[in-house]
Amino acid sequence: MEVASSPASPPTFTKFLDLPTELRLKIWAFTAPGPRNVRIRYKGLPDTIEEMNDPRVWPYTSSEPVPAAFHVCQESRAEAQKRFPHKPCFGTRNHHHEAMIYFDFSQDTLVFEGDARDPPINYTLGAFLYGRWTGADDCDKVERLSIGVTEDNYTRSTFIWDEIRRFAGLEELIFYDLDGHLSDKRDVVLVCYRVRDVMLSCYRDTLNLVANRHPQWKLPKIAIKSKDGIQCGELGRGDDNEIYFRPS
């Protein structure tokens, strides 16, 4: 019987340290990541006062790894700190918790996209923006934001626009409908298309309300997408200063 050969191990290069310093540094520079979606999740407040005062017990986590060059070795870290725009961000404003999530404001997207186990998105945003113990630094530097919304958000008179406008430097915003109401599947019963219309109207009408209250607010570019990533349309401010929804 012929025995199947085991998969070949990936090739290794054992002479890296023998390369000239200039060449090694160029190689480290090539490890810079491109634009990333940095997902952030709220863990909740620590269980004890000791943990609350421990700068290492940070109430937010991210599944996005730290760019590799920052922790491979001393040389790579020094080069990454010099060349990469990524910095530890989103420490608490009261200085109880250190900045621990590496982020590049020039190209990364900050993603709030929980699931059934997490607090509602508006609660997480409130903790992130306003919390005495959990309010984060650097919110005004975020340029790209992606948020997964659920039915809980649609029940609020101003949706989550009051939270959104606190991101003063925001340029691009994407909403994802996590409940599936904006699905375009043709086997969905007719009543779901009615729900779809109501959901899309909610975005427009609540934004119009908040934008009229804050006429100096510079709206970011806003896209609305279904759960599976299909763009449904975009929101903006028209020449008449009214908010429009333009289907895709």
Side-chain angles (χ1 to χ4, degrees):
M1 178 185 297
E2 184 178 353
V3 179
S5 59
S6 58
S9 300
T12 58
F13 181 68
T14 60
K15 301 293 185 180
F16 184 77
L17 295 179
D18 296 332
L19 296 175
T21 301
E22 296 82 358
L23 183 54
R24 292 201 310 271
L25 296 183
K26 287 184 178 180
I27 292 173
W28 292 128
F30 279 119
T31 66
R36 304 177 305 153
N37 291 324
V38 180
R39 290 172 171 79
I40 190 167
R41 298 184 69 177
Y42 178 60
K43 297 189 302 181
L45 287 173
D47 295 327
T48 66
I49 294 296
E50 289 75 16
E51 288 182 348
M52 191 172 293
N53 289 320
D54 187 337
R56 299 165 298 176
V57 184
W58 177 220
Y60 301 98
T61 61
S62 177
S63 58
E64 187 67 22
V66 175
F70 281 98
H71 57 74
V72 172
C73 65
Q74 207 169 30
E75 181 182 75
S76 70
R77 180 176 179 82
E79 192 65 11
Q81 289 175 332
K82 183 170 63 177
R83 289 178 176 265
F84 298 180
H86 306 76
K87 303 294 180 187
C89 299
F90 310 122
T92 49
R93 290 187 295 272
N94 59 21
H95 307 297
H96 277 291
H97 303 96
E98 300 172 354
M100 298 177 64
I101 298 175
Y102 277 75
F103 198 83
D104 174 8
F105 293 102
S106 68
Q107 62 178 348
D108 288 346
T109 299
L110 187 63
V111 180
F112 289 87
E113 189 177 286
D115 56 32
R117 298 168 297 173
D118 293 326
I121 288 297
N122 51 282
Y123 184 92
T124 300
L125 286 172
F128 189 77
L129 292 165
Y130 313 122
R132 179 183 176 190
W133 291 93
T134 61
D137 277 326
D138 304 313
C139 300
D140 58 333
K141 300 176 186 175
V142 175
E143 298 181 11
R144 294 164 187 82
L145 189 63
S146 175
I147 299 180
V149 296
T150 65
E151 203 165 310
D152 173 79
N153 306 121
Y154 297 117
T155 63
R156 305 173 78 220
S157 62
T158 57
F159 189 54
I160 51 176
W161 295 116
D162 281 320
E163 288 84 357
I164 296 301
R165 66 183 185 84
R166 297 291 181 176
F167 292 91
L170 195 61
E171 296 181 3
E172 298 179 15
L173 171 64
I174 299 175
F175 285 122
Y176 283 92
D177 166 56
L178 298 184
D179 290 331
H181 293 310
L182 303 184
S183 171
D184 199 30
K185 294 180 180 179
R186 297 305 174 188
D187 58 348
V188 179
V189 293
L190 185 60
V191 67
C192 288
Y193 288 109
R194 175 56 180 160
V195 171
R196 175 189 175 99
D197 291 341
V198 170
M199 297 297 102
L200 294 175
S201 296
C202 173
Y203 287 103
R204 184 194 62 232
D205 297 343
T206 55
L207 177 56
N208 202 50
L209 177 65
V210 176
N212 285 337
R213 289 178 181 172
H214 305 278
Q216 302 305 315
W217 177 26
K218 182 183 177 182
L219 268 60
K221 180 181 178 182
I222 305 170
I224 299 173
K225 297 189 177 185
S226 64
K227 187 177 183 179
D228 49 3
I230 304 301
Q231 183 154 324
C232 303
E234 59 183 35
L235 288 165
R237 196 196 300 267
D239 294 335
D240 58 358
N241 217 35
E242 291 295 304
I243 300 300
Y244 65 80
F245 173 75
R246 183 177 296 142
S248 295

